[in-house]
Amino acid sequence: MSPLRAGIAFLLVVLVAALAYFGAETAAVRPLLADILPYAALVIFLAGFSFKVIRWAWSPVPFRIPTTCGQQKSLPWIKANRLDNPSTKTGAWGRMALEVLCFRSLFRNTRAELREGPRIAYSEDKFLWLAALAFHWSLLFILLRHLRFFLLPVPHWLLGMSALDGFFQVGAPGLYITDGVIFLALLYLLARRFWDAQVRYLSLLADYFALFLLLGLVLTGIQMRYSDRVDLERVKEFALSLTVLSPHISAAVAPLFFVHLTFVCVLLAYIPFSKLMHLGGVFLSPTRNLANNSRIQRHINPWNPPVKVHTYAEWEDEFREKIRAAGLPLEKE
Amino acid sequence: MRKKIGILAVLLGFFILVTFPLWHSVGMRHSLEPPNLVLPANQKNCVMPVAYMRSSHMFLLLNWRELVVRHDQHTFRSFDGKSYNMSLTGTCLGCHNKQQFCDRCHTYMGVQTPNCFNCHVDPMALRGGMR
Ligand code: HEM
């Protein structure tokens, strides 16, 4: 029941927001949310992240995975696809870079439809790719721009980035392009799970939770910037106090900021235990990071038990006389 | 084994990147003070309550601009009952010093120095920094 899953995920996010909002107004909880939660979230994130990565790194990957989307390198007159089916390390790096920066595998996304007949028809569906790309690049921009709260003096490249993002100079504080883009992209990614019956069937609570959480994070941020402004100087003071490990937050900072902050912390702590871990996982995907050189180099499974083999040469030695007597050809006379 | 060490090295690099603000602040520990904002000596109140000004003065400025340029209204009644002429240069910068007030906070916050002063005049700059 997908609507139920979506509803539960939504309520969970609302619950987090409510806890943060009322916590910020409760003297006993406020310091907990501001001074302890961010560090706890960071520690959980880093520990969980390492745990996952180390477990992946330590699992043996004895073979190359040749299920790729391009022609393997073979005979010189057959054109090989060097990026989709790389036979060299450089090629594998190229494939990984394209995957991480351009989401190349999403570009291949197709949609299956039942037409009259009935017959099945496949069509291209580039919107998932477009929305995912728009979302992730905006997120990167927003995260980097947020560094202005944590760094003093604010570096020049950061100012340049903010200026680029605020290129259209609409209003004050200036509208950031990425704010609109990330919001629309998230809306599409969510709507897609409702509209498309097949995707709806596949969607789990965790899928909706991640989307609602990000949407909540982005919406509270947008609200803070364009309507219910908070005291940014005090927010920066708080952010800087976090960086020197002596956190304190002014009473002047509004509860809305706490909702934003708590969303961040929940997201951070949630990453290692969820599908969002693809942040690290993509780099360790055997289908992306291994050159397919199985025809060039022999890969031996390290935990194969020693196999007793009897080669043809040995077999021929054993039966040489009999073979010769029967008049059969011998490889070695 | 070489591969595992490589992965661990990248993981370590990622840790350093994620915690970058901490390392940055270690180097800057002495200068993390909030900006020293010079307030007008002979005035007690701003045109709106100070909490509103701190967070939302840009809304007020755009509001003023809208009223002046589109609606030909020029007088603003402040919360403490005074009347002000709605003007960026004449009023805000009549009380506040741009460099020692606006700019200091904006630099601290990493706000792009608003482009308002491409057109509007900073009276201090006109008088060569003297008042
Ligand atoms: C995954 C992490 C985060 C995401 C996706 C996020 C997202 C956003 C977005 C979309 C905005 C709207 C304005 C803008 O784009 O700058 C915003 C504003 C804001 N965020 Fe975040 N944020 C994150 C983390 C944080 C953290 C850790 C802080 C703590 C300092 C923070 C504090 C703020 C504040 C104070 C604003 C208002 C900025 C302004 O008025 O210019 N955010 N956030």
Side-chain angles (χ1 to χ4, degrees):
Chain A
M1 268 288 284
S2 174
L4 185 64
R5 295 182 213 136
I8 294 175
F10 180 74
L11 285 182
L12 279 175
V13 172
V14 171
L15 185 72
V16 171
L19 286 179
Y21 192 90
F22 293 111
E25 291 184 326
T26 315
V29 185
R30 197 174 159 97
L32 225 71
L33 287 177
D35 305 347
I36 297 177
L37 192 63
Y39 292 117
L42 188 68
V43 168
I44 294 176
F45 172 72
L46 291 179
F49 197 95
S50 324
F51 175 73
K52 284 275 159 111
V53 166
I54 287 172
R55 217 181 48 183
W56 283 328
W58 257 248
S59 26
V61 183
F63 301 122
R64 303 298 153 127
I65 298 180
T67 49
T68 56
C69 302
Q71 173 61 48
Q72 186 180 10
K73 181 170 155 69
S74 53
L75 298 168
W77 45 271
I78 297 177
K79 191 159 178 270
N81 190 332
R82 271 182 298 162
L83 274 175
D84 274 327
N85 201 337
S87 60
T88 60
K89 222 175 195 165
T90 331
W93 276 90
R95 174 170 67 181
M96 180 61 82
L98 278 174
E99 183 64 36
V100 171
L101 300 176
C102 307
F103 300 2
R104 214 149 162 268
S105 57
L106 278 188
F107 197 67
R108 299 198 186 93
N109 185 38
T110 55
R111 172 210 304 280
E113 261 170 56
L114 221 45
R115 298 257 171 90
E116 248 175 89
R119 76 199 155 85
I120 193 158
Y122 295 94
S123 55
E124 290 195 8
D125 182 7
K126 299 278 185 254
F127 282 107
L128 175 63
W129 168 78
L130 192 68
L133 204 63
F135 164 73
H136 283 88
W137 277 104
S138 298
L139 184 67
L140 179 67
F141 251 71
I142 291 170
L143 282 180
L144 288 178
R145 273 202 288 94
H146 270 66
L147 280 178
R148 76 174 164 138
F149 295 122
F150 294 91
L151 305 183
L152 186 72
V154 181
H156 278 282
W157 58 265
L158 226 166
L159 292 179
M161 238 180 97
S162 306
L164 189 68
D165 203 346
F167 179 78
F168 292 117
Q169 304 197 337
V170 182
L175 175 75
Y176 284 134
I177 300 165
T178 48
D179 285 1
V181 171
I182 200 171
F183 177 62
L184 292 180
L186 277 172
L187 272 194
Y188 172 78
L189 292 173
L190 186 64
R192 169 181 165 269
R193 294 196 180 272
F194 290 130
W195 279 332
D196 191 328
Q198 289 143 323
V199 184
R200 185 168 359 131
Y201 184 69
L202 292 173
S203 296
L204 303 176
L205 202 153
D207 297 319
Y208 291 113
F209 181 69
L211 281 173
F212 281 127
L213 192 63
L214 281 162
L215 212 52
L217 186 51
V218 165
L219 280 177
T220 47
I222 286 176
Q223 192 184 353
M224 266 193 291
R225 183 172 174 82
Y226 304 105
S227 109
D228 303 324
R229 296 196 53 85
V230 294
D231 190 333
L232 287 194
E233 198 199 348
R234 297 281 159 70
V235 168
K236 177 146 189 175
E237 247 172 62
F238 164 65
L240 286 176
S241 77
L242 280 180
T243 66
V244 293
L245 307 183
S246 61
H248 59 87
I249 191 159
S250 152
V253 177
L256 183 57
F257 172 74
F258 282 75
V259 178
H260 193 67
L261 184 71
T262 308
F263 277 153
V264 178
C265 295
V266 170
L267 180 69
L268 210 57
Y270 177 63
I271 287 175
F273 311 101
S274 66
K275 66 172 197 167
L276 302 182
M277 191 54 209
H278 68 273
L279 163 63
V282 63
F283 296 100
L284 293 168
S285 304
T287 58
R288 300 287 103 192
N289 68 6
L290 293 177
N292 180 13
N293 57 2
S294 304
R295 284 182 168 178
I296 301 165
Q297 197 181 320
R298 182 154 182 230
H299 299 283
I300 295 169
N301 189 348
W303 71 87
N304 273 351
V307 175
K308 180 133 177 41
V309 291
H310 194 50
T311 62
Y312 178 75
E314 286 163 356
W315 183 82
E316 201 181 73
D317 282 345
E318 198 179 330
F319 295 102
R320 184 169 307 282
E321 293 316 317
K322 296 201 164 106
I323 296 171
R324 187 173 290 138
L328 293 170
L330 279 164
E331 209 141 81
K332 202 171 81 193
E333 278 306 336
Chain B
M1 202 58 220
R2 249 184 62 225
K3 232 174 228 161
K4 287 174 189 164
I5 290 172
I7 293 174
L8 286 186
V10 174
L11 189 65
L12 191 70
F14 177 69
F15 273 32
I16 293 173
L17 211 67
V18 169
T19 50
F20 171 64
L22 276 74
W23 313 120
H24 188 267
S25 284
V26 169
M28 301 284 169
R29 192 177 267 272
H30 51 285
S31 56
L32 292 183
E33 309 294 294
N36 172 23
L37 302 179
V38 178
L39 289 172
N42 48 354
Q43 299 289 342
K44 264 187 44 230
N45 281 330
C46 197
V47 295
M48 288 284 270
V50 67
Y52 176 85
M53 290 312 284
R54 290 177 65 88
S55 62
S56 315
H57 54 278
M58 58 302 278
F59 288 173
L60 181 77
L61 281 169
L62 284 209
N63 203 10
W64 280 17
R65 176 167 73 182
E66 179 81 8
L67 288 172
V68 170
V69 177
R70 304 253 182 246
H71 303 284
D72 195 24
Q73 291 175 22
H74 294 266
T75 319
F76 178 78
R77 297 280 296 174
S78 73
F79 75 108
D80 55 355
K82 293 192 191 139
S83 295
Y84 291 99
N85 178 28
M86 289 188 271
S87 162
L88 174 56
T89 300
T91 305
C92 305
L93 298 189
C95 279
H96 292 297
N97 180 310
K98 179 171 172 291
Q99 272 121 47
Q100 292 170 3
F101 183 72
C102 315
D103 291 355
R104 274 192 191 163
C105 188
H106 290 165
T107 309
Y108 171 78
M109 285 305 305
V111 179
Q112 281 291 286
T113 310
N115 66 359
C116 319
F117 297 96
N118 291 357
C119 302
H120 290 267
V121 172
D122 172 13
M124 289 295 262
L126 276 189
R127 286 183 220 125
M130 305 287 289
R131 173 169 268 190

